[in-house]
Amino acid sequence: MTRLVKLTLCFYVVLCALSTKADDNQVPLTKLGTKTGPSLKFFYCYSCGYRKVFEEYVGILRQKYPELQIDGENYNPSSNIMLIAKLICFAKISLIVLIVSGFNFGQPLPSLWQWCMDNRFYSCMMIFFIFNAIEGQLISSGAFEIHFNDVPVWSKLETGRIPQPLELFQIIDTHLNWQYADVDIG
């Protein structure tokens, strides 16, 4: 195979890898098969290290509210930011493939490209780390959002901080009282 065919095949594989998208919006067949009690949903920034905070909160909340359904997932930034991050990832992989393959543009090489060809390992490592840092900054949202029965009850993006456990207990108690205020126990 010629070098151009190999390069085209590499770009096609990269495009296919970037275009695969998981279907996270699947709807359950019945609502009865899903959660039936009150639920608490956390959306946290995984790259900021908030998963550990989420896990600690789950442990605390399960002790006080065993009936509460608690879920958590990564908070994804807007689709535009994600698209930019994917484009940066594509550019990173493309540059590394071009450098490793020794692609020659058929013209006198610019001094930067010539340096990359002369120092392939070092230039690929630099590209990898610099582009990863940029991607990380783009997808790092700093979010720690909490929803009670799909109603937002706390937003770190708005308040600038994570709630203290006592604050979270008060929020949950308030929402549980509202939810069960109409229920006549006697």
Side-chain angles (χ1 to χ4, degrees):
M1 279 202 242
T2 66
R3 179 177 273 176
L4 185 59
V5 173
K6 287 180 184 178
L7 192 58
T8 305
L9 184 60
C10 286
F11 282 125
Y12 179 73
V13 168
V14 168
L15 279 175
C16 288
L18 291 176
S19 67
T20 57
K21 184 177 177 184
D23 187 16
D24 294 334
N25 298 328
Q26 294 178 354
V27 178
L29 295 176
T30 66
K31 291 255 181 192
L32 296 176
T34 60
K35 304 169 222 159
T36 56
S39 67
L40 198 63
K41 181 97 176 190
F42 289 81
F43 298 95
Y44 52 84
C45 177
Y46 184 82
S47 60
C48 298
Y50 290 145
R51 180 176 177 109
K52 188 165 181 82
V53 176
F54 162 70
E55 291 170 352
E56 290 173 4
Y57 274 46
V58 168
I60 294 169
L61 291 170
R62 290 220 191 274
Q63 290 176 354
K64 184 163 178 153
Y65 305 100
E67 74 281 356
L68 196 61
Q69 300 284 335
I70 304 172
D71 292 317
E73 66 182 50
N74 186 39
Y75 180 88
N76 290 323
S78 71
S79 59
N80 292 338
I81 299 290
M82 290 301 286
L83 177 65
I84 292 169
K86 284 184 178 184
L87 290 174
I88 288 174
C89 179
F90 176 74
K92 169 184 66 178
I93 293 171
S94 300
L95 277 172
I96 290 173
V97 166
L98 287 173
I99 291 170
V100 169
S101 68
F103 186 76
N104 187 354
F105 292 102
Q107 301 176 18
L109 298 175
S111 61
L112 178 63
W113 189 255
Q114 185 61 48
W115 181 87
C116 289
M117 291 293 112
D118 293 341
N119 303 290
R120 289 183 186 180
F121 180 76
Y122 185 65
S123 62
C124 287
M125 293 298 288
M126 281 182 55
I127 289 169
F128 180 79
F129 287 120
I130 290 171
F131 278 59
N132 273 358
I134 294 169
E135 284 177 73
Q137 286 297 314
L138 282 173
I139 63 172
S140 179
S141 62
F144 195 82
E145 313 300 295
I146 305 172
H147 293 208
F148 184 87
N149 289 340
D150 297 327
V151 175
V153 295
W154 188 273
S155 172
K156 181 186 174 288
L157 296 176
E158 292 177 11
T159 63
R161 65 184 184 88
I162 295 174
Q164 296 297 318
L166 291 177
E167 289 176 304
L168 190 54
F169 293 158
Q170 289 175 341
I171 291 169
I172 293 171
D173 288 338
T174 302
H175 282 275
L176 284 174
N177 289 338
W178 285 347
Q179 183 176 0
Y180 296 113
D182 297 335
V183 176
D184 184 20
I185 299 174

